[in-house]
Amino acid sequence: MDSDSTRRDLGGWEHLAPGVARRRLPFLDVTIGIVVGDEGVLMIDAGSTPREGEELRQQVMELTGRPVSHIVLTHGHFDHVLGASVFPHAQVYGEMSLDGYLERGGVTLRDDAVAHGVAPDEATEAIEALVRPGNLIHERYALDLGGAREVLLVHPGGGHTTHDLVVVVPGTPAVVFCGDLVEESGEPQAGPDSLARQWPATLDRLLRLGGETALYVPGHGAVVDARFVRAQRDELAARFGVS
């Protein structure tokens, strides 16, 4: 990728900082991120189906000239994990409890995918090929992609799920891939696997990780700033009756 740090579109990919970009997928407006180092290419989340994952695989190769070497799954919902099977040589990272969540939740993931518009046969194929993370993060882990490109994988606490994982890319500006702890294109979703009352405090920790000048990349929607994250934190606190 070009090292120009301006925000611009690269064939559907928005350049956020040197070696850092993201794309909003047409289906469900899911964000996919990439971070490029001298020795590795990290992709954040993998899309909703193997077909979507294959499109991403080809695009990242075209954009960077190298294959995806690492994948971070920000949480276990179908629209973020079911494309990972087309990256058999990538190291896959997730929060410590994500592995068990995926092991138990195949039927639920399939049904959720179908309910949101994935074809039943395609959803079944995706579940049969479901990839579980081989690298489990307890609290935080520094991932070295080479050439002084180190990113921080952090479980800031529960919120959207019990196993949310964020990716902090230091730099000017810093970039924080938030997963669905932050959403811009709709109200944050709190399902049965959420820890709603912990969510505001988790966003407080997220803001401390990124700081006031970071770019915060939601799981769905446009890139936002710290003021937006703080406002969403306050809305969630009011919604769930916590301070």
Side-chain angles (χ1 to χ4, degrees):
M1 288 190 301
D2 194 302
S3 63
D4 180 9
S5 62
T6 58
R7 297 273 297 280
R8 56 192 181 84
D9 188 89
L10 301 171
W13 290 85
E14 183 183 5
H15 192 194
L16 303 177
V20 185
R22 71 84 177 248
R23 184 185 175 198
R24 294 169 68 172
L25 298 178
F27 183 53
L28 300 178
D29 196 22
V30 178
T31 285
I32 304 295
I34 54 173
V35 183
V36 180
D38 286 355
E39 299 172 7
V41 177
L42 168 66
M43 189 170 78
I44 297 111
D45 287 330
S48 303
T49 63
R51 176 170 48 86
E52 206 167 55
E54 176 60 24
E55 179 183 344
L56 290 166
R57 188 192 67 78
Q58 294 179 24
Q59 288 181 348
V60 173
M61 178 65 81
E62 291 171 2
L63 191 62
T64 69
R66 287 185 283 154
V68 171
S69 57
H70 303 74
I71 296 174
V72 170
L73 302 175
T74 62
H75 62 290
H77 292 166
F78 84 92
D79 49 329
H80 297 260
V81 304
L82 291 187
S85 63
V86 304
F87 301 89
H89 302 298
Q91 297 185 47
V92 181
Y93 294 77
E95 195 275 332
M96 184 68 68
S97 61
L98 174 61
D99 184 58
Y101 178 90
L102 294 177
E103 181 180 25
R104 296 186 302 272
V107 173
T108 300
L109 286 176
R110 182 197 176 280
D111 291 348
D112 198 21
V114 172
H116 283 82
V118 175
D121 289 349
E122 192 171 22
T124 298
E125 175 193 355
I127 294 301
E128 289 174 349
L130 181 64
V131 170
R132 288 158 53 186
N135 301 276
L136 299 175
I137 309 304
H138 176 50
E139 291 182 351
R140 62 176 61 202
Y141 177 74
L143 176 60
D144 186 1
L145 296 175
R149 170 68 81 188
E150 187 174 86
V151 300
L152 190 61
L153 316 183
V154 182
H155 171 55
H160 180 64
T161 69
T162 60
H163 52 268
D164 297 298
L165 193 65
V166 303
V167 178
V168 182
V169 187
T172 307
V175 180
V176 182
F177 290 92
C178 307
D180 287 3
L181 283 171
V182 179
E183 295 195 40
E184 186 275 335
S185 55
E187 185 177 77
Q189 299 299 301
D193 57 345
S194 69
L195 294 175
R197 293 182 62 82
Q198 297 181 24
W199 202 334
T202 296
L203 289 185
D204 287 336
R205 289 188 285 274
L206 182 71
L207 284 163
R208 288 196 292 271
L209 283 168
E212 291 300 310
T213 61
L215 301 176
Y216 291 88
V217 185
H220 304 262
V223 175
V224 299
D225 58 13
R227 181 171 57 181
F228 179 96
V229 176
R230 190 169 292 107
Q232 191 158 93
R233 178 255 182 242
D234 292 344
E235 291 167 3
L236 288 166
R239 177 175 163 189
F240 300 125
V242 295
S243 58

